[in-house]
Amino acid sequence: MSVTIRLLLFVALVGIVSGKHEEYIGWKSYYVELKSQTQLKTLRTLTSKYEIDALVHPILDREGILIVKPEHQKAFEQEAKAEEIAYRIHVDDIKRHLDHDDRILQKHRRKSMNRSGGRRLPYDSYQEIEVINDYLDYIGETYPNVAKVVDAANSFEGRPIKYVKISTTNFEDESKPIIYIDGGMHGRERISPPPVTWAIHKLVENVTEKDLLERFDWILLPVANPDGYQFTFTTNRLWRKSCSNDQHLLSTVCLGVDLNRNFDFYWNTAGTSDSPCSDTYAGSKPFSEVEARVVRDILHENVHRMAMYVSFHSFGSMILYPWGSGHLPPNAVELREVATVIAEEINKHSIPDFPRYFVGNSALMIGNEVSGDAEDYAYNLGVPLAFTIKLPYPKVTSSLEGYLLDPMYIGQVCRETWEGLIVGARKAGDLFKDKNN
Ligand SMILES: *[C@@H]1O[C@H](CO)[C@@H](O)[C@H](O)[C@H]1NC(C)=O
Ligand SMILES: *[C@@H]1O[C@H](CO)[C@@H](O)[C@H](O)[C@H]1NC(C)=O
Ligand SMILES: [Zn+2]
């Protein structure tokens, strides 16, 4: 199809689509269960053939949830049947469920704004970017001795990209290891900023683990992709990418770049797309996106004493480590050990609604190679421990209400994840000390 025709088609579509979530009418999501490596491979083929979107990545012995567009549902079902891949409907009308999510959010919004006076950050609902940024500024103003807010850059659409540096020694004690955590790299993964702001809360407002402040300096970036995050409130709830429009001729109609494919490490060689209309578009060049450059610059500035990098994503209850190619790096044993310590601690504090955490190499576990992601980039740069943590999605048996994680689970995710970070940081600190002595 020529570019012009595609453009015209797209404009025509946009013309029809107007109400909220209208673009998801007729979309379905499916539970999928995989029994073998062969099925894992087959699924990878189906995924690209039918433009399938994994809401929860299926792995061996753990059901996943796949989103399938109306035009591909029949073919997908037929082929899954032929390959003996077990599937059943999760949600038969995604639009209806997204509308329902909006109503839950609306209900909570009024309540929490009242209770908080719009000041502190509430955890009973997903917050828009201004609320999170206000909270970060409030932390910086209220606790200037430990917390410093950095306005790193403006996003493509001009929103501030803010992170917090937390230190009892003004970041001047070069012997302290640094822990760096980010979230919100993928817009729709709205559960990923709360554990980051919760970590700020636990390191500044309610310190119960003093050693974590004494031993470490912290860098916390709750929303790495403010444009994409806010776009999920205003325009498209399932938006994943940034919102740039300068990458490609088609970028004015198909916005954005997958930030977690935009890093300069085997850039655009696996698990990516050259089409700006794809959810995994890698961009016109490595670090084309200012949002990815902010993460890069934090890593470069601090790598000499960075003990651990954690990037929150969703969903899947998994802790993943390099490489995205499926090869295991030199300290794979250590990576696995620390990931396991974190996973076991989270499991200990989790609830029956959530599956237990699994730990593994990112490509081997999911059956998908990726390139140009932040975790690999950080590790290659020299951060000894780099993890992607995919936060939990409730099991089938739960009284699931919200499609994209009912807000009632936010507090639980924050608390259990923090327990994992406590032990993970301590372990990372011990390993870092051993290595540097
Ligand atoms: C919220 O605050 C407004 C204004 O202060 C007040 O009129 C209203 O009754 C409050 N609503 C609830 C549910 O507390
Ligand atoms: C601080 O955290 C502890 C442990 O999580 C909790 O029991 C306590 O209620 C918190 N205090 C405040 C003031 O939030
Ligand atoms: Zn993600």
Side-chain angles (χ1 to χ4, degrees):
M1 220 187 316
S2 82
V3 169
T4 329
I5 295 179
R6 256 155 112 168
L7 246 162
L8 285 175
L9 267 177
F10 191 88
V11 171
L13 269 173
V14 171
I16 305 163
V17 170
S18 51
K20 196 124 200 249
H21 309 312
E22 299 288 326
E23 65 269 46
Y24 294 111
I25 289 177
W27 288 43
K28 287 185 172 49
S29 46
Y30 296 79
Y31 286 114
V32 169
E33 195 179 349
L34 302 173
K35 292 276 190 252
S36 66
Q37 285 292 340
T38 317
Q39 288 192 342
L40 201 64
K41 278 212 190 84
T42 307
L43 187 70
R44 192 168 61 190
T45 316
L46 297 186
T47 297
S48 59
K49 191 162 156 194
Y50 299 123
E51 304 167 272
I52 290 169
D53 187 356
L55 182 62
V56 180
H57 268 286
I59 54 178
L60 284 189
D61 305 321
R62 160 93 56 86
E63 271 187 327
I65 300 174
L66 305 180
I67 298 175
V68 187
K69 300 176 182 180
E71 63 267 33
H72 295 313
Q73 287 162 5
K74 207 162 165 199
F76 163 72
E77 290 185 17
Q78 275 168 359
E79 222 166 312
K81 227 174 258 162
E83 299 289 343
E84 297 181 349
I85 293 175
Y87 69 86
R88 61 190 202 291
I89 300 283
H90 166 244
V91 153
D92 64 2
D93 180 5
I94 290 181
K95 180 201 175 324
R96 193 157 45 86
H97 280 72
L98 292 178
D99 289 342
H100 182 73
D101 272 13
D102 280 354
R103 284 193 294 274
I104 302 178
L105 207 66
Q106 206 52 41
K107 194 176 74 193
H108 281 285
R109 181 172 335 201
R110 274 184 232 108
K111 237 179 19 199
S112 50
M113 283 312 275
N114 260 23
R115 201 176 53 239
S116 66
R119 191 83 175 114
R120 297 278 231 28
L121 192 63
Y123 285 88
D124 56 0
S125 187
Y126 297 107
Q127 306 301 332
E128 298 191 32
I129 187 68
E130 288 81 8
V131 179
I132 297 175
N133 282 343
D134 282 355
Y135 171 72
L136 300 184
D137 288 339
Y138 159 80
I139 287 291
E141 285 156 17
T142 315
Y143 304 93
N145 293 335
V146 283
K148 186 166 168 277
V149 181
V150 180
D151 279 297
N154 280 345
S155 66
F156 186 85
E157 294 182 329
R159 295 186 176 86
I161 303 171
K162 289 175 186 281
Y163 63 86
V164 185
K165 292 169 88 168
I166 296 172
S167 173
T168 53
T169 45
N170 199 29
F171 256 77
E172 283 162 5
D173 183 348
E174 287 282 321
S175 69
K176 276 188 179 183
I178 294 174
I179 311 256
Y180 166 35
I181 305 175
D182 65 33
M185 204 176 281
H186 288 143
R188 70 187 188 190
E189 297 171 9
R190 275 192 205 161
I191 187 58
S192 67
V196 187
T197 51
W198 187 256
I200 295 171
H201 169 68
K202 290 302 297 172
L203 290 166
V204 176
E205 293 182 294
N206 177 355
V207 183
T208 43
E209 289 78 27
K210 262 205 153 82
D211 63 309
L212 297 185
L213 268 178
E214 280 153 14
R215 282 179 77 181
F216 302 97
D217 285 346
W218 296 78
I219 299 175
L220 299 145
L221 167 58
V223 187
N225 175 15
D227 294 347
Y229 181 77
Q230 193 57 22
F231 203 62
T232 72
F233 288 90
T234 59
T235 314
N236 183 334
R237 177 61 188 92
L238 295 179
W239 193 255
R240 169 181 163 100
K241 298 184 286 181
S242 63
C243 293
S244 60
N245 62 14
D246 62 346
Q247 291 299 297
H248 189 284
L249 213 57
L250 272 177
S251 291
T252 48
V253 284
C254 290
L255 296 180
V257 168
D258 183 344
L259 296 181
N260 211 25
R261 302 288 182 276
N262 193 232
F263 286 71
D264 193 6
F265 184 73
Y266 287 95
W267 176 79
N268 203 17
T269 54
T272 55
S273 168
D274 287 327
S275 163
C277 297
S278 160
D279 258 348
T280 51
Y281 176 49
S284 59
K285 57 173 194 269
F287 290 121
S288 62
E289 305 302 285
V290 60
E291 297 85 0
R293 293 198 297 273
V294 166
V295 173
R296 173 196 68 187
D297 293 348
I298 293 172
L299 291 167
H300 281 256
E301 200 180 311
N302 299 284
V303 64
H304 60 289
R305 56 186 179 102
M306 201 174 278
M308 180 164 75
Y309 168 54
V310 174
S311 192
F312 285 119
H313 288 256
S314 62
F315 294 107
S317 300
M318 298 171 199
I319 303 181
L320 305 173
Y321 52 82
W323 300 107
S325 62
H327 294 97
L328 292 179
N331 71 336
V333 172
E334 276 181 5
L335 284 163
R336 190 174 183 84
E337 187 187 346
V338 178
T340 304
V341 164
I342 298 172
E344 282 175 355
E345 194 66 21
I346 297 178
N347 287 338
K348 216 187 290 173
H349 291 87
S350 196
I351 53 172
D353 278 5
F354 291 164
R356 296 176 68 75
Y357 265 83
F358 284 1
V359 163
N361 167 270
S362 52
L364 299 178
M365 187 112 140
I366 291 174
N368 264 348
E369 289 174 29
V370 297
S371 60
D373 64 313
E375 168 203 301
D376 273 359
Y377 186 84
Y379 183 80
N380 183 56
L381 195 65
V383 184
L385 301 168
F387 301 113
T388 298
I389 299 191
K390 283 184 177 270
L391 297 160
Y393 191 85
K395 289 193 284 202
V396 194
T397 45
S398 64
S399 53
L400 176 65
E401 265 223 66
Y403 181 60
L404 291 160
L405 194 68
D406 194 303
M408 73 185 220
Y409 289 115
I410 299 173
Q412 172 61 34
V413 170
C414 289
R415 287 188 298 272
E416 67 175 43
T417 308
W418 175 245
E419 295 297 335
L421 288 174
I422 296 172
V423 294
R426 285 177 184 152
K427 187 84 195 156
D430 294 346
L431 291 169
F432 196 80
K433 204 172 70 199
D434 293 347
K435 207 183 64 182
N436 288 279
N437 274 347

